[in-house]
């Protein structure tokens, strides 16, 4: 017999165990996302007796208490708990509280976390012993969910349907350089020569865009011979260096190529780029861009600046426009 039992099956097991003199400990909860607080709590609960039973709220029961939960379905939550060596049995209940289940199973000990006062523990009147175990401060499923939401709220792991639709219309890509095409490091020698490190995959992505008929421009406030050389290698002629008036250059490009807003994609990493990003039909930022920029773009790439961020958006544009397979076929048949 496995560890996950129905209340009826569990009742029979408890009766057998009590005849052997075993002390039965009962606890309950959602146990949605298992964390260190759960582990410590369950270990301590097991020490209060010989057999530990964990009753978990069914999915319907959880939704009555927390409408947006559970994150993980009841069968998976039960399986995770049953894999723990200090948990002897797992069962589910559909009610709002486990009161009727406790009454039915008749455990010896009832345990809850320290956020419960003993007098408030549901079912405490039905057992011989009731305990409220220490609560691990700052550790809860809700805290974990909030951390994830805060950390990734501006980080779209995959392009959204809206981003893909916008990418289909792109005819022109405008890029910042430092912090986009490079990591943002500035390397100068004693003779004031500036060195830059470019990513090969970024470069090939731009080559594919160029071949697909999508024009590219770079706009940067600095001036570098290295950038001029690299852009020449990639066949990019719209290279605007040494300008702080990026918006002026943007409008010149729009006029020169007769562009509509929805035909322009742009990528930048710092607040100076917001003037262009806000006027582009589709805007991107690298993963390590300034937080203010990430709040104001359509998508934040998985990759960091100078480490594949530009290639990532090149691939998105090509796939959205239905041009990706053309390059796969071309390179597969070389």
């Amino acid at each position: 017999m496995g560890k996950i039992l129905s209340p009826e099956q569990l009742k029979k097991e408890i009766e057998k165990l009590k005849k052997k003199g075993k002390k039965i400990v009962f606890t309950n909860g959602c146990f949605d996302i298992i964390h260190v607080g759960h582990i410590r709590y369950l270990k301590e609960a097991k020490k209060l007796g010989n057999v530990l039973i964990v009753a978990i709220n069914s999915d319907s029961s959880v939704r009555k208490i927390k409408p947006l939960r559970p994150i993980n379905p009841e069968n998976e939550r039960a399986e995770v708990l049953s894999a723990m060596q200090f948990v002897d049995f797992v069962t589910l209940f559909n009610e709002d509280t486990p009161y009727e289940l406790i009454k039915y199973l008749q455990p010896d000990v009832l345990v809850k976390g320290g956020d419960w006062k003993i007098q408030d523990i549901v079912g405490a009147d039905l057992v011989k012993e009731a305990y409220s175990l220490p609560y691990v401060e700052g550790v809860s499923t809700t805290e974990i969910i909030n951390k994830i939401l805060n950390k990734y709220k501006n980080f779209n792991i995959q392009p959204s349907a809206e981003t893909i639709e916008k990418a289909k219309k792109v005819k022109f890509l405008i890029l910042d350089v430092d912090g986009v095409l490079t990591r943002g490091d500035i390397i100068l020698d004693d003779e004031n020569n500036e060195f830059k490190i470019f990513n090969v995959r970024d470069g090939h992505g731009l080559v594919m865009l160029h071949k697909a008929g999508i024009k590219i421009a770079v706009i940067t406030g600095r001036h570098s011979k290295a950038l001029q050389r690299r852009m020449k290698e990639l066949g990019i002629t719209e290279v605007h260096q040494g300008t702080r008036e990026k918006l002026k250059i943007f409008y010149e490009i729009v006029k020169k190529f007769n562009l509509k807003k929805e035909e322009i994609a742009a990528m930048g990493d710092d607040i100076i780029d917001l003037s262009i990003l806000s006027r582009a039909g589709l805007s991107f930022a690298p993963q390590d861009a300034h937080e203010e920029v990430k709040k104001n773009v359509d998508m934040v790439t998985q990759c960091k600046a100078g480490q594949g961020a530009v290639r990532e958006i090149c691939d998105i544009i090509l796939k959205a426009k239905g041009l990706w397979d053309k390059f796969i076929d071309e390179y597969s048949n070389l």
Side-chain angles (χ1 to χ4, degrees):
M1 182 178 290
K3 287 186 174 183
I4 304 173
L5 304 180
S6 68
E8 293 74 23
Q9 292 171 318
L10 189 54
K11 175 72 171 177
K12 292 177 181 178
E13 286 299 310
I14 290 173
E15 289 172 353
K16 293 177 187 177
L17 290 164
K18 281 189 172 183
K19 286 178 181 179
K20 295 178 182 179
K22 302 296 183 183
K23 192 174 184 180
I24 311 300
V25 181
F26 179 101
T27 191
N28 67 279
C30 298
F31 296 97
D32 196 357
I33 298 175
I34 299 296
H35 51 72
V36 69
H38 289 136
I39 301 300
R40 294 176 185 174
Y41 165 75
L42 292 172
K43 280 183 178 179
E44 290 303 310
K46 177 62 180 283
K47 293 177 183 179
L48 296 171
N50 306 113
V51 177
L52 176 61
I53 295 169
V54 181
I56 62 173
N57 296 73
S58 66
D59 291 347
S60 60
S61 175
V62 175
R63 283 192 287 270
K64 291 177 187 176
I65 308 166
K66 304 173 182 180
L68 298 178
R69 302 264 293 278
I71 302 298
N72 295 303
E74 59 190 40
N75 62 314
E76 293 181 10
R77 291 185 282 128
E79 185 175 342
V80 169
L81 285 166
S82 69
M84 298 178 186
Q85 63 180 14
F86 39 82
V87 174
D88 295 288
F89 296 106
V90 179
T91 194
L92 284 86
F93 63 96
N94 292 312
E95 297 75 23
D96 293 354
T97 76
Y99 190 85
E100 292 302 322
L101 180 61
I102 296 168
K103 187 176 181 180
Y104 176 65
L105 296 178
Q106 296 183 345
D108 300 300
V109 181
L110 180 58
V111 183
K112 288 293 286 183
D115 48 341
W116 284 80
K117 295 179 180 179
I118 291 180
Q119 62 268 28
D120 296 328
I121 296 175
V122 174
D125 59 316
L126 301 172
V127 297
K128 298 173 183 176
E129 303 172 32
Y131 297 93
S132 178
L133 296 183
Y135 180 71
V136 180
E137 291 293 335
V139 180
S140 69
T141 297
T142 300
E143 288 291 330
I144 290 171
I145 291 172
N146 287 336
K147 284 180 183 178
I148 292 170
L149 290 174
N150 288 332
K151 185 170 183 178
Y152 294 102
K153 63 184 176 182
N154 297 311
F155 186 92
N156 300 319
I157 295 175
Q158 295 294 334
S160 66
E162 183 181 2
T163 296
I164 292 171
E165 284 302 310
K166 288 183 177 183
K168 289 178 181 179
K169 301 172 185 177
V170 170
K171 294 182 179 180
F172 207 106
L173 174 63
I174 297 175
L175 300 170
D176 181 27
V177 177
D178 298 306
V180 172
L181 278 166
T182 75
R183 294 191 308 175
D185 300 327
I186 298 173
I187 305 171
L188 301 171
D189 66 10
D190 292 338
E191 297 179 2
N192 210 34
N193 292 312
E194 185 168 318
F195 301 89
K196 294 186 183 294
I197 299 174
F198 298 100
N199 184 281
V200 172
R201 289 180 182 172
D202 284 349
H204 188 65
L206 293 173
V207 168
M208 289 191 291
L209 281 189
H210 185 70
K211 283 185 178 181
I214 297 166
K215 298 185 183 301
I216 302 153
V218 295
I219 306 175
T220 174
R222 301 188 64 81
H223 194 283
S224 166
K225 292 179 181 178
L227 174 65
Q228 194 71 42
R229 175 183 170 182
R230 181 58 176 157
M231 293 302 101
K232 185 177 180 180
E233 291 173 351
L234 299 176
I236 297 172
T237 56
E238 287 292 326
V239 181
H240 302 271
Q241 299 198 70
T243 177
R244 291 289 174 181
E245 297 183 49
K246 291 190 174 186
L247 188 57
K248 178 182 177 182
I249 302 298
F250 172 83
Y251 282 127
E252 289 176 0
I253 290 171
V254 169
K255 183 177 180 180
K256 179 178 178 180
F257 294 94
N258 192 29
L259 296 168
K260 299 175 182 177
K261 177 177 180 177
E262 61 267 23
E263 295 173 336
I264 305 167
M267 177 177 250
D269 72 300
D270 210 341
I271 56 175
I272 193 173
D273 302 313
L274 288 173
S275 60
I276 290 177
L277 293 171
S278 63
R279 290 170 172 82
L282 177 58
S283 55
F284 296 94
Q287 185 199 112
D288 51 344
H290 191 284
E291 287 300 318
E292 195 63 36
V293 176
K294 292 196 285 186
K295 290 179 186 177
N296 289 281
V297 294
D298 291 297
M299 180 176 171
V300 178
T301 62
Q302 296 184 53
C303 297
K304 294 181 179 180
Q307 300 178 52
V310 170
R311 175 58 180 273
E312 193 174 328
I313 67 172
C314 291
D315 290 357
I316 288 169
I317 293 169
L318 290 170
K319 289 175 182 178
K321 296 176 79 68
L323 300 170
W324 182 253
D325 290 343
K326 170 181 174 291
F327 287 102
I328 297 300
D329 291 341
E330 178 184 335
Y331 295 131
S332 296
N333 296 307
L334 285 176

